[in-house]
Amino acid sequence: MSAVSTPQIELKGLRKTFGRVIAVDAVDLEIGDGEFFAMLGPSGSGKTTVLRMIAGFERPTSGSVILGGVDETEVPAFRRDVSTVFQDYALFPHMTVGQNVAYGLKVRGVGGAERTRRVGEALEMVRLGDLAARKPGELSGGQRQRVALARALVTRPRVLLLDEPLGALDLKLREQMQLELKAIQREVGITFLFVTHDQDEALTLCDRLAVFNAGRIEQVGPPSEVYEYPATRFVAGFVGSSNVIPAASAQAVVGRPGTFAIRPEKIRVLAAGATPSAGELGLTGTVDEVVYSGATTRIVVDAAGLQLSATVLNDEAPDDVAAASALRRGDPIAVAWHESALRPLEV
């Protein structure tokens, strides 16, 4: 696990069981002060359970939760200096936007004038300053998400926990909110811990991420490192898409033993009969599928007993590259890639 210089969150040997089910198994993790960190994994991988233990909503079976250098494993949720934004936003429908945002301050005993000032600042931060008098039912999904974010930030926590807060939004709005979240995190400068199963979202938002699988962390690192250098077969397949060359085929295809991954965009699709360039490995085969996706086309190739997927840009191709628009199932084809594009995997 990569360490950070000033941890705001430290998890040591964190474990959580529900009866015979091990939800989280021996998780060690450090998240820095002011870092935008993502916990990424499929449903049931343990990421949300970890977030709930950090928030104090779940008590660990064993291990420690240390916040700001203080062991708060046994501290109840309402005494922890964290705020949480949930996927369903949990807004009070009978309250106005301003009253929703002010609720946490009121519970903490913040006076009326100070409360009004801080609510106004929080709503301006999320660009809802003119909607303070509306009710949640009068807002769009994106506006409700901003209200939930303002309510969480107005108490000025040291850590903001976000449990798949963009999951209910449509694609365009989700992409817009991703950019706004990054801007808000830079402005407030506190630690954001974001839970998601969407790998594109994690890669877009975070400074670093942890990839969860079956209650354990498989890899931690910056998005580019995790994508370009996946440590395990699971990471290679879950973060983006990868072609996996298994050990049984590696000697014949790669020329050495092991299990390897190669990203589809690293594979060149050549015209039938074309030869790879110097320093490239290559295979011949047939086209199994052609999938047009606007800017790119995905071509699935059967070669040497493997099914390899290549992604090509839909622009004018060099003479030795097969034109994706002209390919049909069953056509003969060749593929090639640089040796440096192969990534050895732990199995």
Side-chain angles (χ1 to χ4, degrees), residues 116-134:
T116 299
R117 184 184 67 81
R118 286 170 61 176
V119 167
E121 290 176 352
L123 288 176
E124 287 299 328
M125 183 185 303
V126 298
R127 299 189 291 112
L128 291 178
D130 57 345
L131 300 182
R134 292 193 184 181

Side-chain angles (χ1 to χ4, degrees), residues 15-297:
R15 180 180 173 88
K16 180 65 179 179
T17 61
F18 297 95
R20 296 182 180 180
V21 176
I22 301 174
V24 176
D25 190 10
V27 165
D28 295 302
L29 184 63
E30 292 186 354
I31 300 172
D33 188 19
E35 188 172 19
F36 200 135
F37 194 94
M39 295 194 296
L40 172 68
S43 298
S45 62
K47 60 190 186 299
T48 296
T49 303
V50 169
L51 180 137
R52 290 179 61 81
M53 286 190 282
I54 294 170
F57 302 140
E58 297 282 357
R59 184 176 180 179
T61 303
S62 60
S64 303
V65 176
I66 300 168
L67 303 178
V70 178
D71 190 332
E72 299 199 356
T73 310
E74 302 298 328
V75 175
F78 68 90
R79 289 185 179 170
R80 299 190 186 191
D81 194 9
V82 303
S83 290
T84 307
V85 178
F86 299 100
Q87 184 174 352
D88 63 2
Y89 312 142
L91 301 177
F92 299 115
H94 63 287
M95 293 184 180
T96 65
V97 166
Q99 290 168 340
N100 265 283
V101 175
Y103 182 79
L105 297 176
K106 188 174 182 180
V107 170
R108 287 166 172 78
V110 176
E114 173 70 4
R115 190 164 69 237
T116 299
R117 184 184 67 81
R118 286 170 61 176
V119 167
E121 290 176 352
L123 288 176
E124 287 299 328
M125 183 185 303
V126 298
R127 299 189 291 112
L128 291 178
D130 57 345
L131 300 182
R134 292 193 184 181
K135 298 286 184 66
E138 300 172 303
L139 304 178
S140 68
Q143 289 170 333
R144 289 196 295 273
Q145 197 275 342
R146 291 191 185 96
V147 175
L149 187 59
R151 184 178 62 181
L153 289 171
V154 76
T155 59
R156 298 173 181 170
R158 291 197 298 187
V159 175
L160 181 65
L161 307 175
L162 301 112
D163 186 11
E164 305 208 40
L166 309 182
L169 305 180
D170 62 51
L171 177 61
K172 289 290 186 183
L173 187 53
R174 190 161 66 245
E175 291 174 345
Q176 176 188 334
M177 287 306 305
Q178 288 171 7
L179 297 177
E180 293 188 9
L181 270 179
K182 284 178 71 76
I184 290 169
Q185 195 271 339
R186 284 194 298 266
E187 181 177 345
V188 298
I190 66 172
T191 301
F192 276 32
L193 177 55
F194 192 94
V195 166
T196 182
H197 65 272
D198 186 324
Q199 49 97 9
D200 288 332
E201 196 165 78
L203 294 174
T204 299
L205 284 169
C206 69
D207 302 315
R208 289 190 308 143
L209 69 152
V211 183
F212 278 72
N213 180 35
R216 290 179 173 269
I217 293 177
E218 298 236 346
Q219 188 171 356
V220 176
S224 59
E225 178 183 299
V226 173
Y227 183 85
E228 294 291 346
Y229 299 93
T232 68
R233 186 166 184 162
F234 175 82
V235 174
F238 188 77
V239 182
S241 59
S242 284
N243 298 290
V244 175
I245 301 173
S249 303
Q251 191 66 54
V253 174
V254 178
R256 65 183 192 270
T259 299
F260 300 89
I262 182 169
R263 296 292 187 186
E265 66 270 20
K266 305 291 187 181
I267 296 179
R268 289 202 306 138
V269 177
L270 307 180
T275 58
S277 302
E280 287 187 325
L281 301 172
L283 292 172
T284 58
T286 58
V287 175
D288 184 66
E289 193 62 78
V290 179
V291 182
Y292 176 80
S293 300
T296 63
T297 294

